[in-house]
């Protein structure tokens, strides 16, 4: 399995509550329609020292080829439209993932 991780902050002037309301009501339903998506997680940093990034999204795909094909698909690029206007400093990383439960 391959995990694609996005870490980011909000641009100056973007209200965190409005962003989070948008994310849970509109963004997540859009992402869940992305073809070949195995799993999705959205994280908000908490605690006394949340680190340099407040938000992290994780998308999981069966393999690297599927992840790349999906990320380059027209639907996926369209899904990213509005969020790119709100976030800043996005870092994207690919990981080969092993899980134990």
């Amino acid at each position: 399995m391959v995990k694609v991780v996005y870490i980011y902050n909000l641009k100056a002037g973007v209200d965190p509550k409005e962003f989070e309301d948008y994310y849970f009501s509109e963004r997540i339903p859009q992402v869940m329609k992305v073809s070949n998506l195995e799993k999705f997680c959205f994280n908000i940093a908490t605690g006394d020292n949340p680190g340099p990034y407040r938000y992290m999204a994780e998308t999981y795909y069966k393999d690297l080829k599927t992840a790349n094909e999906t990320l380059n698909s027209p639907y996926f690029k369209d899904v990213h439209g509005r969020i790119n206007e709100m976030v800043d400093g996005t870092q994207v990383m690919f990981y080969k993932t092993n899980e134990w439960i």
Side-chain angles (χ1 to χ4, degrees):
M1 185 169 290
V2 169
K3 174 169 56 173
V4 183
V5 176
Y6 303 82
I7 55 175
Y8 53 89
N9 290 308
L10 300 179
K11 289 183 178 177
V14 176
D15 179 83
K17 178 165 179 9
E18 287 180 20
F19 173 76
E20 291 167 20
D21 288 346
Y22 156 76
Y23 209 98
F24 284 101
S25 67
E26 296 180 43
R27 177 74 173 167
I28 291 173
Q30 289 173 335
V31 171
M32 296 308 296
K33 292 179 185 175
V34 170
S35 65
N36 303 316
L37 182 68
E38 300 280 330
K39 179 178 163 182
F40 176 73
C41 299
F42 177 63
N43 309 276
I44 303 170
T46 61
D48 294 335
N49 185 9
Y53 295 96
R54 181 178 175 109
Y55 300 100
M56 179 175 64
E58 301 167 274
T59 56
Y60 293 79
Y61 302 93
K62 70 178 182 177
D63 54 36
L64 184 58
K65 180 180 182 234
T66 302
N68 280 318
E69 287 173 354
T70 303
L71 298 179
N72 290 312
S73 71
Y75 180 79
F76 191 87
K77 289 180 180 180
D78 185 53
V79 165
H80 270 298
R82 182 166 182 223
I83 197 163
N84 287 337
E85 299 169 6
M86 296 185 280
V87 301
D88 189 32
T90 303
Q91 300 290 315
V92 180
M93 297 151 290
F94 290 70
Y95 295 93
K96 181 177 179 186
T97 300
N98 303 283
E99 293 184 309
W100 295 265
I101 296 176

